[in-house]
Amino acid sequence: MRIILAPMEGLVDAPIRETLTKVGGIDRCVTEFIRVTHGMLPPRIFYKYAPELHRNCETEVGTPVAVQLLGSDPEQMGRHGLKAAELGATQVDINFGCPAKTVNKHKGGCVLMREPELMHDITAAVRKAVPPGIPVTAKMRLGYDDRSMGVACGQALEAAGASEIVIHARSKVDGYKPPAYWEEIARVREAVNTHVIANGDVWTVEDYWRCREVSGCEDVMIGRGLIARPDLAARIKASQRGDIFTPMTWLEAVALVREYAAALQTRLEDKYVTGRIKQWLNFLRQGFAEAEYLWPEARKIRQVAPMLACLAQALPAGALKDQAA
């Protein structure tokens, strides 16, 4: 009954993986995708997206991290899968789920779900290149134009040797609009013997249990829900045990944002750090009334220190009550 932190391009980077896995409850992470095109990427690119490669592909608290690749050339994908393994990857994941227009335009991500045969060839090439003891896994959606390709693509990945398939319960055209079609994940799961992991629209503990019931999957990958509620995985693990869990407070969430900002400042200029904080704060608005209240002021701030001061300020008496009203 694992909980996996989803890869989210431009947001779930190494610093946020470190921050969230320290909260607890996350059993595995996946990197942002490494884009594979024509030439062989140098090791520094792998280390940029997966600095955990320097540490047995684990976060500081020991949570395993899979290295994700995205591309459409089977030979190049195989070469890069092998390079990832040589650099220390303990799991190589393939992205067939990214809905971004730029990525799909260049024949990467979810657009490949129009071609199950090519998905098979890419996965088979990576599986052949990567040493047998290292799992090769894949993440996909239910289809590109509609949700009709899930079974065919799942079977193609199974035939190619994928040991796990994560399925985001929407098509590319669905984007991220509710609802998530967990029942369609169940159709794919029933059509393959490969282990299937459910993904999509898990924002609460109640969502988690409904997703499991409808999809029939024991393992669940969570993306936006864990960004909005950093303790969601820990809450879910407590519910699995039947334990009472005290939800994270806003000040505890701010402490996480501070830790994240400090880590980012060793990698990025302050203006980019502030942008990443705003990205996270925008998600936190769904988990904390305080974030919603502070958002109009915080979104205007361009420096890190004033931003963190804004988030930690004492709110006026009755502010959150007024917000709820």
Side-chain angles (χ1 to χ4, degrees):
M1 298 188 291
R2 296 173 300 167
I3 299 169
I4 302 163
L5 175 61
M8 297 175 65
E9 185 191 6
L11 181 58
V12 181
D13 52 15
I16 210 165
R17 291 194 293 269
E18 293 291 348
T19 301
L20 292 179
T21 54
K22 287 177 182 175
V23 177
I26 296 172
D27 297 295
R28 189 173 80 207
C29 305
V30 183
T31 68
E32 299 168 272
F33 65 75
I34 298 172
R35 184 75 163 97
V36 174
T37 53
H38 302 296
M40 189 67 205
L41 295 171
R44 63 179 173 81
I45 300 298
F46 288 85
Y47 292 131
K48 173 185 175 182
Y49 288 95
E52 295 93 346
L53 286 166
H54 292 297
R55 196 173 50 244
N56 195 36
C57 243
E58 295 178 344
T59 66
E60 289 181 15
V61 296
T63 305
V65 179
V67 176
Q68 188 179 80
L69 305 177
L70 179 148
S72 58
D73 184 304
E75 181 181 356
Q76 286 289 354
M77 287 288 282
R79 292 178 64 202
H80 284 79
L82 175 60
K83 176 57 68 175
E86 290 173 345
L87 294 174
T90 53
Q91 176 185 344
V92 177
D93 191 64
I94 306 172
N95 184 321
F96 295 116
C98 180
K101 289 183 180 179
T102 303
V103 171
N104 293 165
K105 181 180 178 181
H106 291 91
K107 206 169 184 180
C110 193
V111 72
L112 293 170
M113 292 196 68
R114 287 174 166 172
E115 303 180 60
E117 299 86 357
L118 181 54
M119 289 176 66
H120 170 278
D121 292 348
I122 292 167
T123 306
V126 176
R127 178 63 280 171
K128 182 178 179 181
V130 171
I134 297 175
V136 172
T137 58
K139 186 175 190 289
M140 68 178 206
R141 286 183 169 234
L142 291 168
Y144 186 87
D145 304 285
D146 54 37
R147 295 181 294 279
S148 66
M149 295 297 289
V151 169
C153 291
Q155 290 174 334
L157 295 176
E158 176 183 34
S163 58
E164 290 181 351
I165 304 170
V166 174
I167 304 177
H168 183 111
R170 297 181 176 92
S171 68
K172 187 274 181 190
V173 172
D174 291 329
Y176 292 95
K177 299 187 300 289
Y181 298 90
W182 297 326
E183 67 279 5
E184 296 295 326
I185 296 178
R187 289 184 61 243
V188 182
R189 182 184 58 77
E190 291 164 0
V192 300
N193 292 317
T194 301
H195 186 70
V196 172
I197 299 168
N199 173 230
D201 260 17
V202 176
W203 297 93
T204 65
V205 174
E206 292 73 24
D207 290 340
Y208 164 81
W209 288 109
R210 284 199 302 273
C211 175
R212 283 195 52 187
E213 179 181 1
V214 175
S215 70
C217 298
E218 287 193 353
D219 297 341
V220 176
M221 176 177 278
I222 306 174
R224 295 172 299 157
L226 264 169
I227 305 300
R229 297 172 176 83
D231 64 343
L232 178 57
R235 292 193 203 188
I236 291 170
K237 287 300 177 76
S239 76
Q240 291 175 352
R241 299 187 301 266
D243 295 341
I244 295 173
F245 187 86
T246 302
M248 176 178 287
T249 66
W250 172 242
L251 289 181
E252 288 171 333
V254 171
L256 294 182
V257 176
R258 284 184 174 278
E259 179 181 336
Y260 177 56
L264 285 178
Q265 285 178 305
T266 66
R267 299 157 56 101
L268 302 172
E269 296 178 39
D270 269 20
K271 62 180 179 179
Y272 298 115
V273 176
T274 308
R276 289 289 180 104
I277 293 172
K278 288 179 184 178
Q279 267 192 295
W280 195 0
L281 179 62
N282 194 25
F283 279 101
L284 289 171
R285 292 165 64 194
Q286 299 182 60
F288 297 88
E290 294 90 340
E292 180 67 29
Y293 182 85
L294 294 168
W295 176 246
E297 178 184 353
R299 66 186 301 183
K300 302 173 187 176
I301 299 173
R302 297 186 178 182
Q303 286 81 38
V304 175
M307 170 66 77
L308 296 177
C310 171
L311 299 185
Q313 68 180 285
L315 302 186
L320 299 186
K321 183 177 180 181
D322 295 341
Q323 176 73 20

